[in-house]
Amino acid sequence: FGLRRSLDEDFYAELEEALVSSDVSLRTATELAEYLRTEIRRQDIAELEAARDLLKERLVQVLSKEHAALTWPQELPGLYLMVGVNGTGKTTTIAKLACRAMSKGLRPILAAADTFRAAAGEQLEEWGRRLEVQVIKGRPGGDPAAVVFDALQAASARGADLVIADTAGRLHTKRNLMEELNKIGRVSKEKLGRPPEETLLVVDATTGQNALAQTKEFQQVVGLTGIVLTKLDTAAKGGIVITIADETDLPIKCIGTGEQPEDLEDFDPRGFVEAILE
Amino acid sequence: NLTDKLQSVFKKLTGKGRLSPQDVATACREVRLALLEADVNFHVVKDFVAHVQEKATGKEVLESVTPGQQVIKIVHDELVALLGGESETQPEGTADIYMLVGLQGGGKTTTSAKLGLSLQKKGRKPLLAATDLRRPAAIEQLATIGSQVGLPVFEPHGEKTSLEVAQAALKHSRAESLSPVIIDTQGRAHVDEELMGELAEMRAALPAADVLLVLDAMTGQEAVKVAQAFENSLDLSGFILTKLDGDARGGAALSLRAVVGKPIWFVGTGEKPEALEPFLAERMASRILG
Ligand SMILES: Nc1nc2c(ncn2[C@@H]2O[C@H](COP(=O)(O)OP(=O)(O)OP(=O)(O)O)[C@@H](O)[C@H]2O)c(=O)[nH]1
Ligand SMILES: Nc1nc2c(ncn2[C@@H]2O[C@H](COP(=O)(O)OP(=O)(O)OP(=O)(O)O)[C@@H](O)[C@H]2O)c(=O)[nH]1
Ligand SMILES: [Mg+2]
Ligand SMILES: [Mg+2]
């Protein structure tokens, strides 16, 4: 946006359109416009470029959180727990994280704790085969918490550094499924003697306002350490994370940019904001 | 919710009179907010609210309802009309080939089995065709669900492309007197030229097929571009909106119908094979309005 010459009402209308069309909530877009109006007046800004930079800096500030880097385990084995609603890319992201861990010289083990969905275990096993990483599977319909427990056990026994655990996709509105997730979290924490190094909510960048409700519900039920925003290669802007960043303290740790194990990047607030504003 | 908000906007309009332009403008701001919160596309909202504003301004305030309720009724009725109206006929389910297409993770594989089960209950003998050669264990996924519901699944046997698998499945269906063939395809981004090209090829080879775009109900503003890209490339028969058992308001539905103009056939309401229902415009309108 920003082909206008002057900072008039049309400028603010275009700004709102650019942000909302990227799935930033109207409320957040309005707050950003208010901030901009105040600062433009206060700093006596008349140039479009200066106003744009002001907005850019503000967005980068909103998106820059503490603990934005992935936490690698100090005590071994560590645990990454992947959670989120159906189809967002949890299982595929595990393959990417395993790849990342190995590039750091760590030895991961994968826990196929989605014991519900058809061929979920087989999907993760196939990734394990391709990456030459061990996969601990449960029996179909079995207790997912037990699979994570067994994987942590196996990791200790075999000297692996990190368990990356898959869970079944679940809508945050399903009480029994969220309770099941809460139990997985508790059992894992008890086995580790500390919370998992990462409990990552995997969010699809094509998701609209519902991602905010997802984040709040999952945060309550299982205590998140960060967000992985997937499918940014599909042209969706993923602007809802700006609203999420505005309303929670959660950092976006990584982004998914494709369907292969190498398609994972660290979240770069500045690059992300530039893509939103172009 | 929107009803409460509009009631309070119009609280002062107690006596009988006309809806003033200012009151309608205030109400329309609330409607706009509600629709954007529901993921209705920015431009679709703009046109829709302008249309409602026109309809509502100067309208006589009816004796029996409050002005707020009156605006709500206009909004609701306009939404239902835009979603295809209640009179929209349900799909016949008579095609011999169905192709399920869409973005990654939208629910195509699960929905293929759901569609098969629903057609089987209507007396047909569907064959599910697993043509996703890329996603790990995609074939197993469809084969597993197929066996769970008692539907035959055609699996690849060395074919190099998805189109070859689809053609082999068709051949098999004729030999076994199975119909229709429901083709599950791999997820793809509407901006992926290569994959969209491959899909266009498959569609061109199956001109009589009913092509259904499977879209996640929580899809945001990008829904319009996605739907339009698939429509331009494939000439869709309709849409299936999935994961409506969540609390996403589903405003993408309005984008599909209003912009692309093809009907929404079904909605997915759960992970089980039975969780497929016909699309109802009234119900969707209420959901979008919150
Ligand atoms: N283009 C693109 N596709 C992705 C990305 N991440 C995952 N996918 C695809 O999204 C689809 C769903 O991925 P999964 O990993 O199965 O998602 P999930 O969250 O584990 O799904 P459920 O277990 O069924 O809830 C697959 O087709 C993946 O290849 C990404 O960053 N970009
Ligand atoms: N709650 C709910 N989950 C659904 C619904 N439809 C599909 N799912 C789930 O969404 C996830 C993705 O479904 P898939 O059928 O694998 O999606 P897909 O479009 O085939 O994915 P790709 O082939 O990777 O593009 C799975 O966890 C399904 O169980 C629905 O209507 N409601
Ligand atoms: Mg999965
Ligand atoms: Mg699939």
Side-chain angles (χ1 to χ4, degrees):
Chain A
F1 95 105
L3 298 172
R4 316 216 64 83
R5 292 274 151 262
S6 60
L7 302 177
D8 52 13
E9 279 318 300
D10 286 340
F11 166 81
Y12 289 101
E14 276 189 21
L15 167 64
E16 184 182 76
E17 177 173 346
L19 291 174
V20 172
S21 298
S22 306
D23 289 311
V24 176
S25 74
L26 181 62
R27 182 165 149 185
T28 305
T30 306
E31 286 173 11
L32 285 164
E34 282 315 301
Y35 165 80
L36 217 55
R37 274 181 211 274
T38 309
E39 283 307 300
I40 281 173
R41 203 164 34 237
R42 200 175 67 85
Q43 296 184 34
D44 199 10
I45 291 174
E47 290 301 320
L48 184 68
E49 269 314 301
R52 235 165 160 267
D53 287 343
L54 199 61
L55 176 68
K56 200 184 289 187
E57 289 315 310
R58 177 61 168 186
L59 286 171
V60 170
Q61 181 185 33
V62 167
L63 287 168
S64 301
K65 302 280 185 188
E66 286 201 60
H67 313 298
L70 286 170
T71 306
W72 298 107
Q74 300 291 335
E75 277 180 69
L76 307 179
L79 174 66
Y80 281 12
L81 189 61
M82 310 301 292
V83 305
V85 304
N86 307 70
T88 56
K90 299 175 290 302
T91 306
T92 310
T93 302
I94 290 175
K96 298 175 183 179
L97 288 169
C99 210
R100 175 71 75 88
M102 292 193 288
S103 75
K104 297 224 171 274
L106 297 170
R107 221 187 102 220
I109 279 185
L110 310 184
D114 177 355
T115 55
F116 170 73
R117 206 209 68 208
E122 287 76 2
Q123 185 184 2
L124 197 63
E125 278 185 321
E126 175 59 25
W127 279 121
R129 263 193 295 279
R130 293 186 193 186
L131 298 171
E132 296 182 6
V133 170
Q134 181 167 27
V135 180
I136 303 293
K137 215 167 95 177
R139 54 181 185 77
D143 178 10
V147 179
V148 182
F149 185 96
D150 291 348
L152 287 169
Q153 197 92 305
S156 296
R158 297 165 210 201
D161 303 301
L162 175 69
V163 168
I164 311 177
D166 198 5
T167 63
R170 67 200 70 223
L171 296 181
H172 53 287
T173 49
K174 309 219 161 166
R175 182 103 190 270
N176 57 332
L177 298 183
M178 295 306 273
E179 283 181 5
E180 178 189 75
L181 186 61
N182 179 271
K183 177 177 167 211
I184 296 172
R186 279 184 287 114
V187 166
S188 308
K189 185 171 175 195
E190 189 159 340
K191 176 78 178 130
L192 283 168
R194 62 184 189 280
E197 273 68 21
E198 295 287 355
T199 301
L200 299 171
L201 179 72
V202 181
V203 174
D204 186 329
T206 66
T207 307
Q209 300 306 303
N210 198 250
L212 182 62
Q214 292 172 21
T215 305
K216 289 183 172 171
E217 283 305 310
F218 274 88
Q219 172 70 318
Q220 268 215 359
V221 164
V222 78
L224 305 171
T225 58
I227 290 173
V228 176
L229 184 66
T230 62
K231 309 182 196 173
L232 270 171
D233 53 304
T234 65
K237 298 276 179 107
I240 189 62
V241 297
I242 294 173
T243 295
I244 292 173
D246 198 33
E247 299 200 21
T248 76
D249 282 328
L250 278 177
I252 298 138
K253 301 238 174 181
C254 304
I255 60 172
T257 57
E259 305 188 64
Q260 297 306 324
E262 50 274 12
D263 298 330
L264 187 76
E265 297 173 19
D266 287 337
F267 181 66
D268 163 31
R270 191 161 297 275
F272 182 81
V273 170
E274 283 172 358
I276 296 249
L277 293 183
E278 75 186 14
Chain B
N1 65 24
L2 184 61
T3 309
D4 299 337
K5 285 201 195 130
L6 291 189
Q7 307 285 37
S8 68
V9 163
F10 282 120
K11 240 189 356 244
K12 342 182 216 84
L13 252 178
T14 48
K16 188 174 159 192
R18 276 174 167 259
L19 290 173
S20 79
Q22 297 93 306
D23 292 321
V24 171
T26 310
C28 280
R29 265 200 293 283
E30 291 298 335
V31 172
R32 178 171 183 259
L33 176 62
L35 293 178
L36 288 175
E37 279 177 348
D39 291 325
V40 181
N41 180 268
F42 185 90
H43 296 102
V44 173
V45 172
K46 203 169 188 181
D47 294 342
F48 181 83
V49 171
H51 183 69
V52 164
Q53 191 148 357
E54 199 181 338
K55 274 210 150 193
T57 304
K59 201 167 169 61
E60 277 299 335
V61 177
L62 301 177
E63 286 250 311
S64 55
V65 299
T66 70
Q69 281 179 332
Q70 200 159 332
V71 173
I72 291 258
K73 174 136 177 45
I74 293 171
V75 172
H76 182 90
D77 292 351
E78 289 301 309
L79 256 179
V80 171
L82 211 53
L83 285 166
E86 244 9 288
S87 56
E88 183 142 81
T89 51
Q90 287 305 319
E92 290 292 302
T94 54
D96 291 326
I97 306 172
Y98 293 91
M99 246 172 88
L100 269 61
V101 304
L103 301 177
Q104 291 91 344
K108 297 173 293 301
T109 303
T110 311
T111 304
S112 300
K114 289 181 182 180
L115 184 62
L117 183 63
S118 137
L119 291 170
Q120 186 184 61
K121 287 187 180 154
K122 293 203 178 108
R124 304 195 64 189
K125 294 187 167 173
L127 172 70
L128 304 180
T131 74
D132 183 348
L133 297 173
R134 170 213 52 106
R135 171 174 153 154
I139 314 286
E140 282 94 316
Q141 186 185 2
L142 191 62
T144 302
I145 314 177
S147 90
Q148 281 171 357
V149 297
L151 286 170
V153 179
F154 183 86
E155 299 183 38
H157 296 108
E159 291 86 357
K160 293 280 185 298
T161 67
S162 297
L163 175 53
E164 286 174 25
V165 179
Q167 287 168 330
L170 276 169
K171 197 153 171 252
H172 178 78
S173 74
R174 284 181 212 118
E176 300 293 314
S177 305
L178 297 170
S179 174
V181 177
I182 299 171
I183 301 173
D184 180 24
T185 67
Q186 80 173 65
R188 70 201 70 215
H190 56 303
V191 297
D192 188 324
E193 290 191 8
E194 186 180 345
L195 287 182
M196 290 301 281
E198 176 204 74
L199 198 56
E201 253 186 55
M202 187 187 283
R203 204 289 181 258
L206 309 168
D210 266 339
V211 185
L212 300 172
L213 176 64
V214 176
L215 192 76
D216 198 321
M218 59 187 187
T219 308
Q221 296 287 315
E222 195 69 6
V224 168
K225 292 219 184 85
V226 172
Q228 227 150 20
F230 277 92
E231 165 66 1
N232 291 345
S233 174
L234 306 172
D235 182 19
L236 302 171
S237 312
F239 302 101
I240 301 181
L241 205 59
T242 62
K243 306 178 201 170
L244 269 163
D245 45 320
D247 61 0
R249 299 261 288 279
L254 202 58
S255 301
L256 304 182
R257 197 67 180 76
V259 178
V260 172
K262 295 286 169 73
I264 299 171
W265 278 13
F266 299 109
V267 295
T269 56
E271 295 191 74
K272 298 213 164 70
E274 295 76 17
L276 189 71
E277 298 175 15
F279 172 75
L280 296 170
E282 277 281 348
R283 199 176 286 183
M284 195 75 219
S286 303
R287 183 188 180 113
I288 288 175
L289 287 178

